[in-house]
Amino acid sequence: MRKQLLFCWLVCMGMGTGAAERKISSPDGRLVVTVSDSEGKATYSVTYDDELFIASSPLGMKTNIGDFTTGLLMGEGFKASDVESEYSLPNIKKSYVRYSAGRAVVPFMKDGRTVFDVEFSVSDNDVAFRYTVYPKENTLCCVIEDEATGFTMPEGTTTFLCPQSGPMGGFARTSPSYETPYTPDAATGSNGWGEGYTFPCLFRNSDKGWILVSETGVDSYYCASHLMGGNGNTYKIGFPNPGEFNGNGTSAPGMALPGKTPWRTITVGRTLAPIVETTVPFDVVEPLYEASKDYTAEYGCGTWSWIIAGDGSMTYDDQKRYVDFCADMGYRTVLVDALWNTQVGYDKVEELARYAKSRNVGLYLWYNSNGYWNDAPQGPRGKMDNTIRRRKEMQWMQKVGIKGIKVDFVGSDKQMAMKLYEDILADANDYGLLVIFHGCTIPRGWERMYPNYAASEAVLASENMNFSQGSCDAEAFNACIHPFVRNTVGSMDFGGSTLNKYYNAANEPRGSRRVTSDVFALATAVLFQSPVQHFAMAPNNLTDAPTWAVDFMKKVPTTWDDVRFIDGYPGKYVVMARRHGDKWIISGVNAQDKTLKLNLDLSAFFDAGETVTLYSDDAKLNGTASEIKINKKQELKISIPKNGGLVITEEL
């Protein structure tokens, strides 16, 4: 029987301080949030199994109608309730979710009036909280100039963080684009490259467990945020740099009053399982509009030429060849990347779309977000930034049968950028188009909020391996980071699973060389979650790649019904399982210099005596596929060499 939800609140008189205190507990009682107004400041802390996971941390904000960080008292109108909900969402890590939480609204007063509430939703491993800001007399709007919201880590905490980029830097002044490297096992107390850290942010609470901090529910009513460090163990919410978007738009979000902020989220666990398996980004948000059609029928695998063959492949003949390859693989779509407008042309794209349809293949088209906010020269430009031009373009796409768009080079977290994302998504829905973003921010609950949202890059993705050997050399390390951080909060358009040995169309020994194995490529197709996957495969793989690898890639799903963390450590190795229908696929990769040896308990996934296919590597990264029978103990001893992979699956 499910344990009764535990909602408790407690008012304590501090030793001469008169501080009020409230406690909100998770359904299983193990996760407890304590809220206080000690010394006129709003604070909260988080414990799990009576261990401190978030030490006393600030709440509140400074606005242009008042400073709501000091002189605060907790109000009397504390409200607590049970939350029980369920939803189906085919484009995230679990297709069906039941959400149970303790929810409480804690009011804070200043100068005799309620200035904001803090709403907490506390499930068994997740805390989500947001503010409701109230009017001041006849003032019905405000600007949030700064959020005091902080996250104070216990002593001994180490970090796994990705630095936020400064504005108007990088390629053609397109940063920040959430494409910076992670540093594992670092100490607290720094501030990245001076701009803080990109969400999500992973922390290790010494030997007590793990903490993931992020946000969700960001739309056009607020800006996106990140974490600012540099104050010992305390990290606070940071707003976008004023220089983003070429200096246009404000960093501080404005809101109508009463108004709600996005949800800040904290996931905690003794192991990494709650981090990998969390659904909190989607649990506390709702769809913002109805889907104009059933997009689930269009999820699936696809191909794109640019990752291997570059700009030169953007010709009608090459794209037609990729359509044929896509059809041979049984895939859904081809991504026609940048420069198609000049190197293929609109008329020939219409012809290509007709040909693709005859082969049961659809097309995605790439677009530059510009605009006036960066110098990226690739076209089409000047289409997605303007409502009139955008909708005209989308009407044309609908007429010729385009399935989706990939919009690149957004490069800001300002409120006006959030409005751009929302406007593109809403307009695309009107014309039945799925949307992928690149050179962009992370999704923040968008899979549920926007029914035609497919995925975002927001990661050092596969394109970087085309650019440099260093990125190829770091591929396994990054693959052992993303399942624990970036991909925990939303779909990740990585574009990987390369079977070419070299990043060129001839697959010849020049340019960047892949150092990972073919089994590694198969494993990442499962490890990296996105309902639309344009893999970095090429037509030559039908003849130069192992048959067993191509056959697996023909059948690999992109939608999942469940996920289970099995073992791993960020930056070192990862083994996890995903379920599609009634079939489990276990996948793993290893970035360590030494061979990883594990004894896997398979009892949750396969029956004793069941025959499964094992894809594995030898010490020289030569891969094989073999049929094995699950033993009576339902255990399997496995070895994964450095840069190698593992896949265990039933017949797909």
Side-chain angles (χ1 to χ4, degrees), residues 5-168:
L5 288 176
L6 301 177
F7 299 101
C8 60
W9 64 273
L10 176 65
V11 180
C12 300
M13 300 306 293
M15 297 296 290
T17 66
E21 191 175 272
R22 307 281 193 267
K23 292 183 184 290
I24 308 105
S25 300
S26 61
D28 63 6
R30 299 174 67 184
L31 182 58
V32 179
V33 177
T34 302
V35 188
S36 173
D37 65 0
S38 179
E39 299 181 347
K41 295 183 179 181
T43 64
Y44 76 102
S45 61
V46 178
T47 60
Y48 187 76
D49 287 344
D50 296 322
E51 293 280 4
L52 188 66
F53 272 69
I54 299 289
S56 182
S57 301
L59 296 167
M61 66 201 69
K62 293 181 180 179
T63 78
N64 65 348
I65 61 170
D67 181 348
F68 306 143
T69 62
T70 61
L72 300 172
L73 289 173
M74 200 178 297
E76 296 296 325
F78 179 84
K79 300 175 183 177
S81 60
D82 299 11
V83 173
E84 289 278 3
S85 64
E86 56 186 69
Y87 60 92
S88 295
L89 202 58
N91 53 342
I92 63 171
K93 64 185 78 172
K94 295 177 68 172
S95 63
Y96 172 75
V97 179
R98 293 191 64 180
Y99 181 62
S100 299
R103 187 160 291 182
V105 177
V106 184
F108 282 91
M109 304 179 66
K110 183 171 183 175
D111 299 331
R113 72 177 185 92
T114 300
V115 291
F116 65 81
D117 294 336
V118 189
E119 180 182 2
F120 287 90
S121 193
V122 184
S123 56
D124 284 348
N125 289 96
D126 300 295
V127 177
F129 64 93
R130 66 178 176 181
Y131 301 96
T132 299
V133 186
Y134 289 104
K136 181 180 181 182
E137 298 174 342
N138 295 326
T139 303
L140 299 181
C141 63
C142 78
V143 173
I144 310 298
E145 296 172 339
D146 182 51
E147 269 197 46
T149 310
F151 307 84
T152 302
M153 299 298 155
E155 291 297 323
T157 295
T158 52
T159 71
F160 300 76
L161 302 177
C162 174
Q164 181 88 355
S165 296
M168 305 302 290

Side-chain angles (χ1 to χ4, degrees), residues 448-525:
R448 193 174 185 195
M449 294 162 63
Y450 305 107
N452 59 319
Y453 169 79
S456 294
E457 184 187 28
V459 71
L460 273 171
S462 61
E463 63 191 39
N464 293 281
M465 288 176 277
N466 184 302
F467 296 147
S468 75
Q469 186 60 45
S471 292
C472 290
D473 296 341
E475 183 182 9
F477 167 79
N478 286 318
C480 293
I481 284 279
H482 302 325
F484 299 114
V485 193
R486 163 63 182 91
N487 214 182
T488 62
V489 298
S491 299
M492 182 177 76
D493 191 58
F494 190 84
S497 296
T498 312
L499 290 178
N500 265 31
K501 296 296 183 185
Y502 300 92
Y503 281 85
N504 61 75
N507 202 12
E508 295 174 345
R510 54 184 170 83
S512 299
R513 176 181 62 87
R514 179 168 60 97
V515 301
T516 56
S517 72
D518 292 333
V519 179
F520 179 100
L522 273 54
T524 55

Side-chain angles (χ1 to χ4, degrees), residues 279-542:
T279 56
V280 72
F282 322 107
D283 295 338
V284 293
V285 300
E286 296 288 343
L288 297 183
Y289 51 73
E290 293 292 325
S292 64
K293 68 178 189 181
D294 180 10
Y295 292 104
T296 61
E298 297 180 2
Y299 298 149
C301 301
T303 64
W304 58 313
S305 66
W306 186 91
I307 180 60
I308 294 297
D311 292 345
S313 68
M314 202 48 54
T315 66
Y316 178 84
D317 289 342
D318 271 356
Q319 295 310 301
K320 186 177 178 182
R321 190 161 64 95
Y322 267 80
V323 167
D324 291 335
F325 174 51
C326 188
D328 291 341
M329 292 293 294
Y331 284 0
R332 299 278 179 84
T333 54
V334 170
L335 167 62
V336 184
D337 218 291
L339 305 176
W340 63 264
N341 60 317
T342 53
Q343 296 183 193
V344 180
Y346 278 80
D347 290 344
K348 295 295 282 185
V349 162
E350 291 189 23
E351 183 180 330
L352 184 67
R354 288 192 295 272
Y355 178 75
K357 184 178 181 181
S358 75
R359 301 226 57 190
N360 200 30
V361 172
L363 302 182
Y364 275 71
L365 297 181
W366 183 96
Y367 283 86
N368 196 326
S369 77
N370 267 1
Y372 47 77
W373 36 85
N374 60 58
D375 305 317
Q378 292 88 345
R381 301 176 76 243
K383 302 286 189 179
M384 289 296 125
D385 63 305
N386 176 273
T387 302
I388 296 171
R389 291 194 295 265
R390 180 172 61 236
R391 291 182 66 85
K392 183 178 179 181
E393 192 84 355
M394 289 176 173
Q395 185 179 41
W396 168 77
M397 284 188 269
Q398 184 183 51
K399 184 183 78 170
V400 303
I402 303 303
K403 299 299 182 183
I405 56 176
K406 170 183 169 181
V407 183
D408 209 338
F409 304 133
V410 183
S412 177
D413 282 338
K414 290 180 177 179
Q415 188 171 8
M416 65 180 295
M418 298 304 109
K419 186 176 187 304
L420 176 66
Y421 285 116
E422 185 170 276
D423 289 347
I424 290 172
L425 285 159
D427 285 347
N429 182 61
D430 287 346
Y431 295 99
L433 299 168
L434 281 165
V435 181
I436 297 170
F437 291 110
H438 266 232
C440 60
T441 196
I442 61 163
R444 291 163 163 88
W446 292 355
E447 289 89 337
R448 193 174 185 195
M449 294 162 63
Y450 305 107
N452 59 319
Y453 169 79
S456 294
E457 184 187 28
V459 71
L460 273 171
S462 61
E463 63 191 39
N464 293 281
M465 288 176 277
N466 184 302
F467 296 147
S468 75
Q469 186 60 45
S471 292
C472 290
D473 296 341
E475 183 182 9
F477 167 79
N478 286 318
C480 293
I481 284 279
H482 302 325
F484 299 114
V485 193
R486 163 63 182 91
N487 214 182
T488 62
V489 298
S491 299
M492 182 177 76
D493 191 58
F494 190 84
S497 296
T498 312
L499 290 178
N500 265 31
K501 296 296 183 185
Y502 300 92
Y503 281 85
N504 61 75
N507 202 12
E508 295 174 345
R510 54 184 170 83
S512 299
R513 176 181 62 87
R514 179 168 60 97
V515 301
T516 56
S517 72
D518 292 333
V519 179
F520 179 100
L522 273 54
T524 55
V526 178
L527 287 172
F528 298 163
Q529 180 266 321
S530 174
V532 176
Q533 293 264 29
H534 289 111
F535 292 123
M537 297 179 64
N540 52 276
N541 295 152
L542 292 173

